[in-house]
Amino acid sequence: MNPIKVGLLGIGTVGSGTFNVLKRNQEEIRRRAGRSIEIAVVADLNTERARELTNGEVEIVNDANLVVTRPDIDIVVELIGGYGIARELVLKAIENGKHVVTANKALLAVHGNEIFEAARRKGVIVAFEAAVAGGIPIIKALREGLTANRIQWIAGIINGTTNFILSEMRDKGLDFDTVLKEAQQLGYAEADPTFDIEGVDAAHKVTLMSAIAFGMPVQFDKAHVEGITKLAATDIKYAEELGYRIKLLGITRRRDDGVELRVHPTLVPATRLIANVEGAMNAVLVQGDAVGATLYYGKGAGAEPTASAVIADLVDVTRLHTADPNHRVPHLAFQPDELSNVPVLPIEEINSAYYLRMRVADETGVLAEITRILAEGGISIDAMLQKESREGEPQTDIIILTHVTREKHVNAAIAKIESLPTVLSAVTRLRMEELN
Amino acid sequence: MNPIKVGLLGIGTVGSGTFNVLKRNQEEIRRRAGRSIEIAVVADLNTERARELTNGEVEIVNDANLVVTRPDIDIVVELIGGYGIARELVLKAIENGKHVVTANKALLAVHGNEIFEAARRKGVIVAFEAAVAGGIPIIKALREGLTANRIQWIAGIINGTTNFILSEMRDKGLDFDTVLKEAQQLGYAEADPTFDIEGVDAAHKVTLMSAIAFGMPVQFDKAHVEGITKLAATDIKYAEELGYRIKLLGITRRRDDGVELRVHPTLVPATRLIANVEGAMNAVLVQGDAVGATLYYGKGAGAEPTASAVIADLVDVTRLHTADPNHRVPHLAFQPDELSNVPVLPIEEINSAYYLRMRVADETGVLAEITRILAEGGISIDAMLQKESREGEPQTDIIILTHVTREKHVNAAIAKIESLPTVLSAVTRLRMEELN
């Protein structure tokens, strides 16, 4: 049988990883797919580098439009990234009847509904395993492996850069800024790390998982996004003393009244497997009503791990593209006309446990005041840590862990606590999840 | 669209779990599958219990032959277990053009080649996600999620009973026999636990994973199978002191000259995630050349976790059964005519590191003799632990960890060591894997 022909848009890290793995494992991949998979053309503005990366073995063009319209191309792999030109090219590829494989989480989290609808009209597949958690086949697990379940929640370490930074902060007791610089030197963080450290990348990914898990359109604009830039080494240390690790989690949870969709630093019990996922590794924990908790762990970024997911999608398309479009795996796990417009809840309405740290005057009655405010707010205390004040120091740190409550109630209580004259600092508030 | 009709063979724990989950989540499952999935008939010898378990909502027959031949049945779910009648019924279902979903690892590990070939001839699907690691979608990960990779090895905790026993032995310092009784009382071990504790169940499962990972027929008869019945609490304790946990692992590894396929108690560094999988949980670690290590964790047994996998297969078949048989996911990941007869290596030819424990006379020169024998056998030592002999006791325990070597060399060295007059016990030998 003729090879299935692939046009590659953009050959950077992941693109060249894809080229190299396809070449190295071509025989094994052909035995699995039933057909060879051949990169027939690569589009990249830097044609010289593209030629080097492909050893002169592949046709190189500098205009991606020439690829998405070429009649001999069966599948377009989009690795340009971003929302702009990538969106236009993906839509044009679909319009030309091409199947699309993409690693572009930003594009799908923001424009996914439009793109999946276009693909549906043309009867083509848009595959995006590489968009979430790199080489971990989490999209497949959610979309196919767990279809029996009413999925209850997902919590994932889905950004390697921030997990590396948090691991280093904890291991070495260093501040965020110091570790960020180290991460940039080591290549674990980009020159402009904003999307990673501010949680935007993780929010793109959890948005996609949320849609697939709960059968709703992608709603990135409703996600609560909070990064790790304001996280203090102190809180990592106190969390540790209380038996918790702090991880940047993408969390989505189904409730009767809507869906929580949020990214933020989170305290997790140190005994959980996911709390022990260190360095640049990723892991996603999924809770389903039948299966219980399942966890998926692996490399979430890098040339070949991401290429692994891109190529798995190429094999899927090769194996299944002749099936009639109504008998394939739906893009968002649920049949397109079965998506429901579940509302994403505002962050004030989420349910979570909380870690509260405050600096107080070392006087009698302070704690009584604080606990009274919490009790009046209906917030019950799970644990408390009062650090002994240092010799001659009239101030001390109090850390309170609460049981699960509504975020707006905690915010209201914090406002009252901060107005106490004996409370000398703003209250540091972190969310905490038991994940069980 | 009409519901897809399922005939269930055998309604015990997993069968009633499947019935309950299909019913509870029917709406969500229909939205995913594009069609309702309906259990139209159940065959069970105990018709009364079957009627109770299905609340009188389903037709019950006592002869499974009536189900596998019924024209209105699209998919047969085989949950009888064992090699005998289950094999006949599965083949008969296939002969009658039914797709088959089964949780029967024993059947497929032993008769898989015959069954997959029959299914191929009739153009039907035999799906078996539930046969390995219960609710964890590991078959899907291996067969579809990691298709880009040359898979190098798999190591899995794939038997919950033995993992529960090992966790308890370690936690409480108890002996195997004591913990087995406790496990039986708690329902974690069956009245006749032979298949679990002797490693046979794990061997069935790793045999299936091996075939899928490496593109070869199932070869259960070549697997090396060793259980945990002879494991001493002492070795768990010493392993702990040296920074290792002992787990019953199913291991399969590809080498240039063949494939290792083995189940045995294994020392694993305590820092690895898989070493921290406790109780009845399962986890599978897969090493691929592109993706690196990925890990899959969850419940490996139980009514609803296993039902989760059975129903995922039902959804897969519902979504994909209209595709032409040459464009589906092949049963063993590789196209049927692309399987290769890779030889399974005899256990003497495996490569592993080793843990050796022996009781020796507390005399000068003993250690020199032992290390000389190892060196002559080309075996290098990674670590050693000599326990101080107790007051007035002329004997002591020596524990040696070796670097990776060929098993036959270790066996030869052990024979020589045991012939030393200063070595007072048989040498306890356990395999050790770094899993990196």
Side-chain angles (χ1 to χ4, degrees):
Chain A
M1 206 181 282
N2 286 338
I4 199 156
K5 293 208 165 181
V6 175
L8 197 63
L9 310 185
I11 186 156
T13 307
V14 176
S16 64
T18 301
F19 175 81
N20 290 334
V21 174
L22 265 180
K23 189 176 164 187
R24 186 173 74 231
N25 293 346
Q26 57 183 324
E27 181 56 17
E28 192 133 348
I29 291 167
R30 184 195 59 73
R31 289 171 58 205
R32 290 190 176 108
R35 242 173 119 175
S36 293
I37 298 174
E38 182 191 310
I39 297 184
V41 57
V42 171
D44 201 290
L45 291 177
N46 190 337
T47 53
E48 201 172 326
R49 196 192 50 166
R51 210 160 279 125
E52 269 172 39
L53 289 171
T54 54
N55 317 311
E57 293 164 18
V58 176
E59 184 186 340
I60 309 290
V61 298
N62 69 358
D63 181 359
N65 287 289
L66 300 176
V67 175
V68 298
T69 54
R70 250 172 76 154
D72 67 326
I73 294 299
D74 302 298
I75 310 175
V76 168
V77 176
E78 183 275 306
L79 299 172
I80 297 170
Y83 315 100
I85 183 76
R87 175 177 157 272
E88 282 171 42
L89 288 166
V90 163
L91 289 172
K92 197 163 173 183
I94 291 168
E95 209 45 55
N96 281 273
K98 314 301 182 197
H99 301 288
V100 172
V101 171
T102 177
N104 193 333
K105 55 227 83 172
L107 176 65
L108 293 180
V110 176
H111 299 291
N113 302 325
E114 175 190 18
I115 288 168
F116 297 135
E117 175 54 28
R120 179 194 194 180
R121 279 198 308 270
K122 293 296 290 189
V124 298
I125 301 169
V126 175
F128 54 97
E129 185 63 78
V132 181
I136 307 171
I138 184 64
I139 298 296
K140 192 168 275 289
L142 288 171
R143 194 159 64 175
E144 305 170 38
L146 302 177
T147 45
N149 292 268
R150 187 168 169 89
I151 293 174
Q152 293 156 324
W153 52 260
I154 299 172
I157 297 173
I158 44 182
N159 181 276
T161 301
T162 45
N163 201 55
F164 174 83
I165 292 173
L166 292 176
S167 294
E168 289 288 294
M169 286 175 72
R170 184 177 74 86
D171 276 0
K172 305 185 176 162
L174 295 173
D175 273 325
F176 172 78
D177 292 329
T178 314
V179 177
L180 174 61
K181 279 195 202 98
E182 179 200 331
Q184 285 173 317
Q185 278 157 10
L186 290 171
Y188 284 116
E190 305 198 33
D192 177 1
T194 315
F195 262 38
D196 293 318
I197 62 179
E198 295 294 0
V200 179
D201 176 72
H204 288 144
K205 293 168 181 167
V206 73
T207 296
L208 290 172
M209 291 198 287
S210 184
I212 291 171
F214 305 134
M216 61 189 209
V218 293
Q219 304 182 56
F220 173 69
D221 54 329
K222 309 278 175 51
H224 173 82
V225 188
E226 205 178 308
I228 61 168
T229 53
K230 291 172 199 147
L231 193 66
T234 314
D235 293 310
I236 294 177
K237 189 167 62 70
Y238 285 155
E240 195 83 1
E241 284 183 40
L242 289 157
Y244 292 82
R245 301 261 165 91
I246 298 182
K247 295 290 181 187
L248 183 71
L249 294 186
I251 297 174
T252 185
R253 176 180 279 124
R254 183 211 302 254
R255 291 182 4 205
D256 288 343
D257 51 348
V259 163
E260 299 180 0
L261 180 59
R262 46 191 170 104
V263 172
H264 50 71
T266 315
L267 277 79
V268 181
T271 51
R272 300 265 179 279
L273 279 191
I274 200 169
N276 293 282
V277 170
E278 300 291 357
M281 302 304 284
N282 281 20
V284 180
L285 188 57
V286 183
Q287 180 78 23
D289 69 338
V291 74
T294 53
L295 179 117
Y296 308 84
Y297 164 90
K299 286 186 182 143
E304 294 210 351
T306 311
S308 173
V310 168
I311 296 169
D313 278 346
L314 289 173
V315 172
D316 264 6
V317 173
T318 304
R319 280 171 169 169
L320 301 174
H321 72 286
T322 64
D324 74 283
N326 292 323
H327 282 86
R328 291 190 192 132
V329 178
H331 289 115
L332 291 177
F334 291 72
Q335 302 293 329
D337 49 7
E338 297 284 353
L339 295 183
S340 68
N341 260 310
V342 188
V344 172
L345 298 161
I347 189 69
E348 294 75 22
E349 299 297 333
I350 71 156
N351 294 329
S352 177
Y354 293 86
Y355 162 104
L356 308 175
R357 171 173 61 88
M358 61 210 77
R359 192 133 187 91
V360 301
D362 195 8
E363 291 172 15
T364 327
V366 177
L367 205 54
E369 281 291 280
I370 293 169
T371 51
R372 181 188 53 78
I373 291 172
L374 290 172
E376 283 172 7
I379 300 159
S380 68
I381 295 173
D382 179 38
M384 194 157 52
L385 179 69
Q386 175 162 3
K387 303 304 289 182
E388 276 187 47
S389 52
R390 276 176 288 181
E391 189 72 41
E393 206 182 42
Q395 307 179 349
T396 184
D397 278 351
I398 288 180
I399 296 98
I400 293 172
L401 304 185
T402 78
H403 283 293
V404 172
T405 182
R406 191 61 55 97
E407 177 142 324
K408 61 183 174 193
H409 298 152
V410 168
N411 290 347
I414 288 174
K416 288 183 193 163
I417 290 170
E418 288 178 341
S419 72
L420 293 174
T422 47
V423 172
L424 310 171
S425 71
V427 175
T428 297
R429 186 209 61 190
L430 293 168
R431 299 179 188 91
M432 182 167 95
E433 298 281 345
E434 288 294 325
L435 301 180
N436 59 9
Chain B
M1 206 182 281
N2 286 338
I4 199 157
K5 294 211 165 181
V6 175
L8 197 62
L9 310 185
I11 186 157
T13 308
V14 176
S16 64
T18 302
F19 174 81
N20 291 333
V21 174
L22 265 180
K23 190 176 165 186
R24 185 173 75 230
N25 293 347
Q26 57 183 326
E27 181 57 17
E28 190 132 347
I29 292 167
R30 184 194 59 74
R31 288 170 59 206
R32 290 190 176 108
R35 241 174 120 176
S36 292
I37 297 174
E38 181 190 310
I39 296 184
V41 58
V42 171
D44 200 292
L45 291 177
N46 189 338
T47 52
E48 200 171 326
R49 196 192 49 167
R51 210 160 278 126
E52 270 171 40
L53 289 171
T54 54
N55 317 312
E57 293 165 18
V58 177
E59 183 186 341
I60 309 290
V61 297
N62 70 359
D63 181 359
N65 286 289
L66 300 177
V67 174
V68 297
T69 53
R70 251 171 76 154
D72 66 327
I73 295 297
D74 302 298
I75 310 176
V76 168
V77 175
E78 184 275 305
L79 298 172
I80 298 170
Y83 316 101
I85 184 77
R87 175 177 155 273
E88 283 171 39
L89 288 167
V90 163
L91 288 171
K92 199 164 174 183
I94 291 168
E95 208 46 53
N96 281 273
K98 313 300 182 199
H99 302 288
V100 173
V101 172
T102 177
N104 193 332
K105 54 227 87 171
L107 175 65
L108 293 180
V110 175
H111 298 291
N113 302 324
E114 176 190 17
I115 288 167
F116 298 135
E117 175 53 27
R120 178 195 194 181
R121 279 198 309 268
K122 293 297 289 190
V124 298
I125 301 169
V126 175
F128 53 98
E129 185 62 79
V132 181
I136 308 171
I138 183 64
I139 299 296
K140 191 169 276 289
L142 288 171
R143 194 159 62 176
E144 305 170 37
L146 302 177
T147 45
N149 291 267
R150 187 167 168 89
I151 293 174
Q152 293 156 324
W153 52 261
I154 299 172
I157 296 174
I158 44 183
N159 181 275
T161 303
T162 46
N163 202 55
F164 174 82
I165 292 173
L166 292 176
S167 294
E168 289 288 294
M169 286 175 73
R170 184 177 75 85
D171 276 1
K172 305 185 176 162
L174 295 173
D175 273 325
F176 173 79
D177 292 328
T178 314
V179 177
L180 174 60
K181 280 196 199 97
E182 178 200 332
Q184 285 172 317
Q185 279 158 9
L186 290 171
Y188 285 117
E190 305 198 31
D192 177 0
T194 315
F195 262 38
D196 293 317
I197 62 179
E198 295 294 0
V200 180
D201 175 72
H204 287 145
K205 293 167 180 167
V206 73
T207 295
L208 290 172
M209 292 197 287
S210 183
I212 291 171
F214 304 134
M216 62 189 209
V218 293
Q219 303 183 57
F220 173 68
D221 55 329
K222 309 278 175 50
H224 173 82
V225 188
E226 206 177 307
I228 62 168
T229 53
K230 291 173 200 147
L231 194 66
T234 314
D235 293 309
I236 293 177
K237 189 168 60 72
Y238 285 155
E240 195 84 1
E241 285 182 40
L242 289 156
Y244 292 82
R245 301 260 166 92
I246 298 181
K247 294 290 181 187
L248 183 71
L249 294 186
I251 296 173
T252 185
R253 176 181 280 125
R254 184 210 302 254
R255 293 184 359 208
D256 288 342
D257 51 348
V259 163
E260 298 180 0
L261 180 59
R262 47 191 170 103
V263 172
H264 51 70
T266 314
L267 278 78
V268 181
T271 51
R272 300 265 179 281
L273 279 192
I274 200 169
N276 293 283
V277 170
E278 300 291 357
M281 301 304 284
N282 280 20
V284 180
L285 187 56
V286 183
Q287 180 78 22
D289 69 339
V291 74
T294 53
L295 180 119
Y296 308 83
Y297 165 90
K299 285 187 182 142
E304 294 210 350
T306 311
S308 173
V310 168
I311 296 169
D313 278 347
L314 290 173
V315 172
D316 264 6
V317 174
T318 304
R319 280 171 170 169
L320 301 173
H321 72 285
T322 65
D324 74 282
N326 292 322
H327 283 86
R328 291 191 192 132
V329 178
H331 290 115
L332 291 177
F334 291 72
Q335 302 293 327
D337 49 7
E338 296 286 353
L339 295 182
S340 70
N341 260 309
V342 188
V344 172
L345 298 161
I347 190 69
E348 294 75 23
E349 299 297 333
I350 70 156
N351 294 329
S352 177
Y354 292 86
Y355 162 103
L356 308 175
R357 170 173 61 88
M358 61 209 78
R359 191 133 188 92
V360 301
D362 194 9
E363 290 171 20
T364 328
V366 177
L367 205 52
E369 280 291 279
I370 292 168
T371 52
R372 181 188 53 78
I373 291 172
L374 290 172
E376 284 173 7
I379 300 158
S380 67
I381 295 173
D382 179 37
M384 193 156 54
L385 178 69
Q386 176 162 1
K387 303 304 289 184
E388 277 188 46
S389 52
R390 275 176 288 182
E391 190 72 39
E393 206 181 42
Q395 306 179 351
T396 184
D397 278 350
I398 289 181
I399 296 98
I400 293 172
L401 305 185
T402 78
H403 283 294
V404 173
T405 182
R406 190 62 53 99
E407 176 142 325
K408 63 182 172 192
H409 298 153
V410 168
N411 290 346
I414 288 174
K416 287 183 195 164
I417 290 171
E418 287 178 341
S419 72
L420 293 174
T422 48
V423 172
L424 310 170
S425 72
V427 175
T428 297
R429 185 209 63 190
L430 293 168
R431 301 179 188 92
M432 184 168 93
E433 298 281 346
E434 289 294 324
L435 302 179
N436 59 9

